[in-house]
Amino acid sequence: MKRYTKLGLILTIIVTCFYVTTASAQGHYNVLKYGAKNDSSKLATESIKKAIAAASKAGGGTVYFPAGKYLTGPIHLKSNITIYIEAGAEIHFSDNFDHYLPMVKSRWEGTDVMNFSPLFYAINAENIAIKGRGLIDGHGKKWWAYSEVHVKKIPTSRWQEEFKRLNKDVLAPDLPGWIERGFLRPPFIQTMDCKNVLIEGITITNSPFWTINPQYCDNVTISKVTINNPDSPNSDGINPESCRNVHISDCHISTGDDCITIKSGKDRSGRKANVPAENYTITNCTMLSGHGGVVIGSEMSAGVRRVTISNCVFDGTDRGLRIKSARGRGGVVEDIRVNNVIMRNIRDQAIVLDLQYATTTVEPVSERTPAFRNIHFSNITAHGNRAGYLNGLEEMPIENVSFNNMNMDMQTGFRIKNSKDIEFHNVRVNNKKGPVVEAENVVGLQIDDVRSQKPVAGEAIIELTNVEGAIIQNAFPAKGTEVYLKAKGAKTSDIVGKANHFGNVKTVVIQEADVKEKIKLD
């Protein structure tokens, strides 16, 4: 036994030496050894910069923050650098605006600008990471005071003057907005033109502006991150913009704005850069407070394509899944799939596709005209206010959208306007007022096994206004249904039924006088 005990001790020593040697070989650079203090008694900006420079000189390595509290200004990453924040370590960013000068190349709400340095920043780097079980705190409250939410006009300051000086030729958005304010808060984490970006495990709070904001990057992974930005303006959680091959998983997000958003530039600036957002997967995430759970747009001028969203829970967001744009943006959102999502306590709409996010007037189709098409929702359970809202443009209808296998307990049902080729299959909406599906100015509508288990007195299940071409099939309305279909509008035509069972319906069809064709549902 003594022999085995000695042997075990020898093996333990060998293994320990191996790990120590491996750690050394990999290049771990403890910021304390470069002069940082973990009691927040000293600004650590220069010490962290020295640790990163040493790691970079060696070809790369891990800049290590052991437990404790660190006070710092911006941290700029270089290629092959990992920032590792140990459990128990907290990085607190200064709220002294001067610490974020000189201004750097950045992007703000989809427009390329020179601006305050983001708190974590990288440009033209590859193989970079921010990971660990520690906390980073942006101390954004002082920055929030300069948001347009809090003040109508930003006071003139030397920071504002510097911003104006550096952005004389900025390609401003088509619609009025931030350029009139002239004072922009920095994102928390922004990587520009980078490859192979990993953000993993950390907890983030109090972001000055958008929280995780990769720009023009390829191969981005954001995993197991917790974001908590309560009651803070424009503090979106994760905003990958104009990136390729983005993977977001296992995150927990609560913000004062959208939780996860996908963007690709705003108006002329976005169209000029012409870098779309493509190949995104979002899975296994929970979203609590926020304007939207997962949102695409409204800055999507270079287009968004090939996105999958699955296995997520939204609880308490204003909206669930939202795609938004407006005339002037341009760009196409296409090939989007949403599957296996549960939503509760949704204050507005569970699903929104809105091409009239801003008030504009009809104009000829051009590069300024946005488009939504090929978007599909399936296996969704929701509880809240409105089930869904689709609002296309008269000159550019929303096209090819389907809803499959959905169970929803809502105040109101779906409202569809200015759309084409819309399908409902096996959709249950227990709404308290209005129709289950209300469609207006729609071409090509398929209603397949759509019902309410709690029909609303005096309301039709389906209401059509100026709908051209609709098939209603496999209807089996619940007992107490007074009207199944109400039709109106001079354009309403070619409405047919198939394999329906209306034994529980008092009146199957009510059509107004302006509907020229006689509607008869089998």
Side-chain angles (χ1 to χ4, degrees):
M1 291 295 295
K2 289 183 177 179
R3 182 191 304 173
Y4 287 121
T5 302
K6 290 181 179 178
L7 180 60
L9 179 61
I10 293 170
L11 289 172
T12 300
I13 293 171
I14 292 172
V15 170
T16 301
C17 291
F18 171 79
Y19 278 117
V20 169
T21 303
T22 302
S24 176
Q26 289 175 341
H28 280 63
Y29 299 81
N30 189 325
V31 295
L32 297 179
K33 293 184 179 180
Y34 291 85
K37 300 294 183 181
N38 63 350
D39 59 1
S40 67
S41 61
K42 174 185 175 183
L43 196 68
T45 312
E46 288 303 315
S47 299
I48 297 168
K49 185 177 179 179
K50 289 177 182 177
I52 291 173
S56 180
K57 185 177 180 180
T62 297
V63 175
Y64 176 65
F65 290 79
K69 291 185 178 181
Y70 303 84
L71 176 64
T72 185
I75 297 173
H76 289 196
L77 278 72
K78 298 182 179 181
S79 292
N80 306 313
I81 297 296
T82 293
I83 300 292
Y84 191 88
I85 307 164
E86 185 62 86
E90 299 179 7
I91 300 179
H92 293 263
F93 283 86
S94 164
D95 63 2
N96 183 334
F97 297 170
D98 287 333
H99 291 163
Y100 300 89
L101 297 174
M103 292 186 175
V104 298
K105 180 182 178 182
S106 184
R107 207 185 201 193
W108 204 92
E109 287 193 353
T111 301
D112 292 296
V113 293
M114 296 290 290
N115 196 32
F116 286 109
S117 171
L119 282 56
F120 278 102
Y121 180 69
I123 185 166
N124 297 320
E126 62 181 0
N127 307 325
I128 58 176
I130 303 169
K131 59 191 297 187
R133 300 295 294 175
L135 169 75
I136 58 176
D137 189 329
H139 290 274
K141 187 174 182 179
K142 185 176 176 181
W143 293 101
W144 302 338
Y146 286 83
S147 165
E148 73 281 5
V149 174
H150 294 286
V151 291
K152 297 298 181 184
K153 184 178 180 181
I154 302 299
T156 299
S157 65
R158 53 193 171 86
W159 304 299
Q160 185 177 6
E161 293 305 316
E162 177 67 356
F163 177 85
K164 288 181 178 179
R165 183 183 72 82
L166 294 173
N167 292 284
K168 291 178 180 177
D169 299 321
V170 68
L171 199 56
D174 292 353
L175 301 176
W178 60 264
I179 199 67
E180 298 174 349
R181 302 198 301 271
F183 187 93
L184 306 181
R185 296 163 286 142
F188 202 135
I189 301 173
Q190 188 174 71
T191 56
M192 302 276 297
D193 295 288
C194 294
K195 289 182 65 176
N196 307 329
V197 177
L198 171 65
I199 302 171
E200 182 180 63
I202 58 175
T203 296
I204 308 171
T205 190
N206 297 319
S207 178
F209 181 56
W210 291 354
T211 306
I212 300 176
N213 185 212
Q215 300 276 358
Y216 307 122
C217 293
D218 187 7
N219 192 21
V220 176
T221 300
I222 302 166
S223 177
K224 301 181 180 66
V225 170
T226 297
I227 298 174
N228 188 22
N229 293 325
D231 304 319
S232 48
N234 306 108
S235 60
D236 295 26
I238 301 172
N239 300 48
E241 187 167 1
S242 294
C243 293
R244 296 184 73 248
N245 307 319
V246 174
H247 322 273
I248 301 171
S249 67
D250 305 290
C251 293
H252 181 80
I253 305 170
S254 184
T255 75
D257 209 316
D258 296 325
C259 294
I260 296 176
T261 66
I262 301 171
K263 300 176 183 289
S264 66
K266 188 172 186 178
D267 301 347
R268 293 174 293 174
S269 178
R271 295 195 297 271
K272 180 181 178 181
N274 195 30
V275 180
E278 55 187 358
N279 305 346
Y280 285 45
T281 61
I282 299 169
T283 190
N284 299 344
C285 294
T286 56
M287 290 79 158
L288 300 181
S289 68
H291 292 176
V294 177
V295 177
I296 298 176
S298 67
E299 302 89 345
M300 37 64 68
S301 298
V304 176
R305 56 196 183 221
R306 297 187 295 277
V307 176
T308 66
I309 302 161
S310 64
N311 304 334
C312 292
V313 175
F314 309 148
D315 190 350
T317 57
D318 292 349
R319 300 164 189 85
L321 299 150
R322 187 182 192 190
I323 306 177
K324 56 183 180 177
S325 188
R327 295 180 180 97
R329 293 280 187 268
V332 177
V333 175
E334 61 185 346
D335 302 332
I336 314 296
R337 284 198 173 268
V338 180
N339 185 43
N340 289 350
V341 173
I342 296 176
M343 296 183 254
R344 286 192 58 79
N345 306 313
I346 304 300
R347 298 184 185 92
D348 293 311
Q349 305 95 354
I351 297 171
V352 187
L353 278 64
D354 190 1
L355 280 168
Q356 300 190 51
Y357 176 62
T359 302
T360 55
T361 57
V362 177
E363 62 181 56
V365 174
S366 70
E367 65 173 6
R368 291 169 39 85
T369 308
F372 297 166
R373 61 192 181 215
N374 307 335
I375 301 168
H376 307 285
F377 302 90
S378 61
N379 301 312
I380 292 176
T381 300
H383 173 275
N385 190 8
R386 179 175 283 280
Y389 179 61
L390 274 63
N391 186 28
L393 300 173
E394 294 178 37
E395 68 272 24
M396 183 61 71
I398 294 169
E399 187 172 354
N400 190 19
V401 178
S402 66
F403 303 94
N404 300 271
N405 304 326
M406 303 174 69
N407 281 274
M408 314 179 86
D409 290 299
M410 316 298 289
Q411 294 295 314
T412 57
F414 285 87
R415 178 160 171 74
I416 316 294
K417 290 181 63 178
N418 299 323
S419 300
K420 180 181 180 183
D421 297 332
I422 310 299
E423 298 183 14
F424 292 85
H425 301 277
N426 188 25
V427 174
R428 307 286 186 272
V429 182
N430 295 322
N431 50 308
K432 295 184 178 179
K433 56 185 179 181
V436 173
V437 176
E438 182 181 3
E440 180 180 356
N441 296 329
V442 174
V443 177
L445 177 65
Q446 187 170 352
I447 305 288
D448 177 15
D449 191 13
V450 172
R451 72 178 76 176
S452 172
Q453 298 303 112
K454 300 176 182 179
V456 179
E459 293 286 356
I461 300 297
I462 310 296
E463 184 172 306
L464 309 180
T465 304
N466 291 321
V467 171
E468 301 175 68
I471 182 169
I472 297 172
Q473 60 187 7
N474 297 316
F476 195 178
K479 289 183 179 180
T481 301
E482 295 185 13
V483 179
Y484 186 79
L485 173 65
K486 184 176 181 180
K488 54 186 176 178
K491 291 183 179 179
T492 296
S493 61
D494 195 19
I495 312 300
V496 299
K498 177 183 177 183
N500 297 306
H501 306 273
F502 292 124
N504 294 325
V505 180
K506 183 177 179 181
T507 304
V508 176
V509 177
I510 294 178
Q511 66 180 81
E512 296 189 357
D514 54 357
V515 178
K516 305 304 181 185
E517 295 181 4
K518 178 70 174 176
I519 299 174
K520 189 176 187 303
L521 301 182
D522 295 331

